[in-house]
Amino acid sequence: MANHKSALKKIRADKVKRLRNKYQLTTARTFEKKLRKTNSKSEAVELLKKCASLFDKLAKRNIIHKNKAAGHKSRLAKFVNHLAA
């Protein structure tokens, strides 16, 4: 257990940050799943914009690596481009 007040505060702050990061990551994954389930090209394009934005934000905040975000966006764009109009 921590011995200093600052260490205790750091533990509390880290817990809050971990929960916030987890929420943001699961939200992005949920949108990704919605996108993969859709069959409508127009709906998929809208969801792709939202997903790309979410993954960019995760990368900007160092929740995931920027290359991982780019990979997710690339695969989702490829999926949307192959949907029938």
Side-chain angles (χ1 to χ4, degrees):
M1 188 62 198
N3 292 322
H4 299 284
K5 283 177 79 172
S6 62
L8 293 171
K9 181 177 179 180
K10 178 78 170 127
I11 290 170
R12 288 194 310 269
D14 286 347
K15 183 178 179 183
V16 171
K17 289 177 189 175
R18 186 178 68 247
L19 291 174
R20 186 184 315 121
N21 291 346
K22 183 179 174 185
Y23 170 77
Q24 291 173 348
L25 187 60
T26 55
T27 302
R29 279 202 218 113
T30 302
F31 273 95
E32 184 176 4
K33 288 174 190 172
K34 281 183 190 177
L35 175 57
R36 292 224 177 251
K37 286 185 179 181
T38 188
N39 294 324
S40 166
K41 177 103 176 182
S42 59
E43 185 182 348
V45 169
E46 291 302 314
L47 282 170
L48 178 62
K49 289 179 187 174
K50 180 71 174 168
C51 284
S53 172
L54 288 170
F55 281 114
D56 282 338
K57 286 178 186 175
L58 290 174
K60 183 177 81 175
R61 295 175 182 147
N62 290 322
I63 297 171
I64 62 173
H65 194 273
K66 65 178 182 173
N67 291 351
K68 182 173 183 172
H72 275 281
K73 289 173 14 182
S74 175
R75 281 191 297 276
L76 291 175
K78 189 174 178 182
F79 171 78
V80 171
N81 288 336
H82 284 84
L83 279 177

